[in-house]
Amino acid sequence: ATVEKIAEDYLKEVRTVQPEGPYFLIGECISGIVAYEMAQQLIAQGQRVASLTLLDTVRPTKRRSFSFQRSYYLERLSAHRKHLQLLALREKMSYLLQTAMAVVFAMICRNENRVKDNNLEEGYDYDKILMSYSPQKYDFRMNLILSNDIYDRRRDGGWADLVPAGINTVRSNALHVTYCTDDVDHTAAHL
């Protein structure tokens, strides 16, 4: 029911395979929030986290969530339009097909989650769980790879005040839905 509990459950699994650190943690999008909490719990247990890397993960806050939900689709359309202007006709067709497939896949996943959610306890809401999470200060350097569309909105993903040791931020050359496909070499090189 909480990010802390999700991280605790994941760590039980991780530590059955690797009981002691150093640990290299990575999380993409909302899973980055869980990876961040996993790092916190490992450090509290006296373990060493050699690397914490967040991929396109924005720090969760209620204000950011409301703002994100309100403007998400307009920003995405604008970013896709700008990206399409840079492509040749054949590339545009491929890009539109990939984007459409991603949208359909996301809709299917959301629909499946709604069906699953109906079988869970009353009040289960993953978004609310994420937004109720209050990340604590992380006293080590962190890596952050941000796609163009997120980097343009917030170059530190909102994490800077929680990571006083500094953030190694890398800007991807693609969008949130394509940085692990269209820009895979660049993303992989930084990982």
Side-chain angles (χ1 to χ4, degrees):
T2 65
V3 169
E4 291 86 351
K5 179 67 175 140
I6 295 168
E8 180 185 323
D9 290 345
Y10 283 0
L11 283 176
K12 284 179 187 173
E13 296 294 323
V14 167
R15 294 192 78 186
T16 61
V17 177
Q18 182 182 333
E20 298 294 320
Y23 293 96
F24 295 81
L25 301 173
I26 185 168
E28 197 263 340
C29 194
I30 59 176
S31 294
I33 297 164
V34 177
Y36 187 89
E37 176 59 26
M38 289 172 69
Q40 299 286 36
Q41 290 184 22
L42 284 167
I43 291 165
Q45 295 168 9
Q47 294 295 320
R48 182 168 168 257
V49 176
S51 176
L52 172 61
T53 302
L54 307 184
L55 301 174
D56 244 19
T57 302
V58 178
R59 177 179 167 189
T61 65
K62 286 183 170 77
R63 190 178 115 234
R64 217 174 263 123
S65 174
F66 176 76
S67 174
F68 180 78
Q69 290 173 359
R70 183 190 66 209
S71 63
Y72 176 78
Y73 293 104
L74 291 176
E75 289 179 13
R76 301 294 289 167
L77 286 172
S78 176
H80 287 301
R81 184 180 50 81
K82 288 177 186 176
H83 187 71
L84 280 168
Q85 290 173 344
L86 303 173
L87 300 175
L89 181 59
R90 176 172 262 180
E91 292 170 321
K92 285 180 185 179
M93 297 306 289
S94 175
Y95 180 80
L96 287 171
L97 180 61
Q98 282 181 331
T99 303
M101 288 175 20
V103 168
V104 169
F105 180 73
M107 290 170 61
I108 290 169
C109 289
R110 283 188 190 113
N111 192 34
E112 286 177 3
N113 286 339
R114 282 190 196 110
V115 171
K116 289 177 188 173
D117 288 352
N118 289 335
N119 297 326
L120 296 173
E121 293 178 26
E122 187 67 31
Y124 176 82
D125 186 338
Y126 196 62
D127 290 337
K128 286 181 183 175
I129 290 169
L130 289 173
M131 289 308 116
S132 67
Y133 176 62
S134 295
Q136 302 303 305
K137 188 170 83 166
Y138 184 73
D139 290 320
F140 304 91
R141 286 193 68 79
M142 183 175 84
N143 304 304
L144 183 62
I145 297 177
L146 294 175
S147 61
N148 276 332
D149 44 343
I150 292 182
Y151 184 88
D152 287 342
R153 284 183 282 160
R154 188 80 191 249
R155 293 178 183 203
D156 66 0
W159 296 101
D161 63 322
L162 290 178
V163 187
I167 302 172
N168 302 319
T169 303
V170 175
R171 181 181 187 154
S172 170
N173 297 320
L175 302 174
H176 182 70
V177 295
T178 61
Y179 76 98
C180 284
T181 55
D182 292 356
D183 199 33
V184 69
D185 292 338
H186 181 258
T187 303
H190 288 285
L191 293 177

